[in-house]
């Protein structure tokens, strides 16, 4: 970081607030304002030093929720007719899971998740003369249904199947075959008497807090994670997070 910092200084690059090491061959550069970071992306020094720079998507957009939009309205129609002081990048319908005759169906709700350009949410949007309040969207923690760890999806998992009741690899048994009584359940994350995917788990709450900070401060996962101390569980010393992109 020091070597590159000196080169940036000599190149008279303005408004750098700080430079931090983010991993092997990766640096995070924080600027005083958004204009300066965009200018840096196009600076000739990057080409000269054979460096690549980008603005993380989480820092270039923000997501909000609006309710009261007719369930039959498509994303395309909404974008076509909505009025917003901040440009809209993407719209997704919020769905709810319902079970009908033992079949899982996902039905539309009146809620939309809207991705706005930039890091500031508008207070309201207008849709056919209706004014809808925009609230900050805070996603739920990502938890793998296979290994039960947080931070990645099942399709990305390289771990083993685990039973959520007793946290034992499912090579021995599947959840429906688990003979542990409820009083003997053991959480993979905290060692508590509940399933590993129980939302009352203290580790789940910690992951939820990380997501809240990410959304409110518009910062990446790794930066938000540093602001939420790890919980110490005496009966489970195993590392309980396998973070990837969130």
């Amino acid at each position: 970081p020091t070597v590159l910092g000196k080169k940036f200084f000599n190149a008279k690059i303005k408004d750098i607030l700080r430079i931090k090491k983010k991993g092997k061959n990766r640096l995070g550069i924080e600027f005083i304002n958004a204009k300066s970071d965009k200018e840096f992306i196009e600076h000739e020094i990057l080409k000269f030093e054979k460096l690549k720079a980008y603005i993380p998507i989480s820092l270039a957009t923000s997501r909000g929720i609006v309710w009261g939009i007719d369930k039959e309205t498509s994303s395309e129609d909404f974008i076509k007719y909505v009025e917003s002081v901040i440009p809209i990048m993407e719209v997704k319908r919020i769905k709810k899971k319902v079970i009908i005759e033992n079949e899982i169906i996902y039905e539309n709700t009146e809620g939309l998740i809207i991705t706005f350009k930039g890091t500031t949410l508008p207070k309201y949007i207008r849709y056919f003369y209706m004014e809808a309040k925009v609230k900050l969207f805070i996603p739920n923690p990502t938890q793998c249904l296979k290994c039960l760890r947080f931070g990645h999806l099942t399709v990305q998992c390289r771990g083993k199947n685990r039973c959520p009741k007793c946290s034992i690899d499912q090579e021995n048994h599947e959840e429906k075959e688990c003979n542990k009584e409820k009083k003997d359940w053991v959480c993979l994350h905290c060692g508590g008497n509940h399933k590993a995917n129980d939302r009352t788990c203290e580790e789940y709450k910690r992951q939820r807090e990380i997501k809240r900070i990410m959304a409110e401060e518009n910062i990446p996962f790794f930066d938000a994670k540093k602001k939420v101390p790890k919980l110490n569980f005496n009966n489970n010393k195993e590392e309980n997070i396998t973070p990837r992109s969130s």
Side-chain angles (χ1 to χ4, degrees):
T2 305
V3 175
L4 279 178
K6 185 177 181 180
K7 290 181 178 181
F8 294 157
F9 178 82
N10 291 334
K12 297 182 180 180
I13 296 175
K14 299 178 180 179
D15 299 332
I16 292 180
L17 186 61
R18 62 178 63 89
I19 299 176
K20 290 183 179 181
K21 188 173 182 180
K22 292 290 185 178
K24 187 177 181 181
N25 300 323
R26 292 177 66 240
L27 294 176
I29 304 176
E30 186 176 344
F31 290 85
I32 293 175
N33 54 61
K35 180 181 177 181
S36 296
D37 60 25
K38 291 178 181 178
E39 291 176 350
F40 176 74
I41 293 293
E42 300 174 356
H43 201 286
E44 60 184 10
I45 193 174
L46 297 179
K47 184 177 181 180
F48 181 79
E49 296 291 341
K50 297 181 180 180
L51 300 172
K52 293 182 180 180
Y54 66 94
I55 301 174
I57 187 66
S58 62
L59 304 183
T61 60
S62 52
R63 290 191 292 176
I65 292 181
V66 297
W67 292 94
I69 307 301
D70 185 77
K71 297 178 182 180
E72 304 305 318
T73 300
S74 68
S75 297
E76 293 76 17
D77 281 346
F78 180 81
I79 290 176
K80 184 177 180 180
Y81 297 107
V82 69
E83 297 176 38
S84 173
V85 295
I86 296 177
I88 292 175
M89 309 293 289
E90 184 181 42
V91 174
K92 289 185 177 180
R93 175 70 63 175
I94 298 175
K95 296 179 179 289
K96 65 178 180 180
K97 183 172 71 174
V98 296
I99 300 176
I100 300 177
E101 296 181 354
N102 294 323
E103 182 180 355
I104 297 177
I105 298 174
Y106 291 89
E107 295 184 344
N108 285 350
T109 69
E110 293 187 347
L112 295 176
I113 299 173
I114 305 176
T115 300
F116 295 91
K117 185 177 181 179
T119 58
T120 303
L121 292 176
K123 291 183 178 180
Y124 299 92
I125 54 94
R126 286 173 59 85
Y127 184 67
F128 288 126
Y129 309 112
M130 181 196 75
E131 198 171 68
K133 186 175 181 180
V134 179
K135 295 183 179 180
L136 180 67
F137 172 64
I138 302 177
N140 289 322
T142 302
Q143 185 174 20
C144 177
L145 300 178
K146 180 181 176 183
C147 73
L148 305 177
R149 296 191 182 281
F150 293 102
H152 66 271
L153 300 172
T154 304
V155 294
Q156 302 168 317
C157 186
R158 297 179 181 177
K160 297 180 179 180
N161 287 321
R162 282 195 177 91
C163 172
K165 293 181 180 178
C166 63
S167 302
I168 295 176
D169 293 347
Q170 287 190 0
E171 289 180 354
N172 297 314
H173 65 265
E174 296 182 4
E175 178 183 2
K176 61 183 179 182
E177 299 170 345
C178 185
N179 56 14
K180 293 285 186 180
E181 296 182 11
K182 188 173 181 179
K183 65 181 180 65
D184 296 320
W185 289 355
V186 179
C187 174
L188 171 69
H189 308 291
C190 70
N193 183 215
H194 55 255
K195 290 184 179 182
N197 52 10
D198 194 317
R199 294 193 174 189
T200 64
C201 177
E202 292 302 315
E203 180 57 31
Y204 179 89
K205 295 177 182 178
R206 174 176 174 269
Q207 294 288 330
R208 176 70 175 170
E209 178 65 8
I210 293 173
K211 289 290 188 179
R212 183 191 66 78
I213 293 174
M214 288 175 64
E216 291 184 352
E217 300 185 21
N218 217 36
I219 59 177
F221 175 85
F222 286 99
D223 291 336
K225 177 186 171 185
K226 293 176 182 177
K227 298 189 175 190
V228 185
K230 284 186 179 182
L231 303 175
N232 294 319
F233 303 111
N234 294 329
N235 54 350
N236 192 340
K237 301 293 185 180
E238 189 178 16
E239 175 66 25
N240 51 26
I241 302 175
T242 308
R244 297 186 184 182
S245 60
S246 300

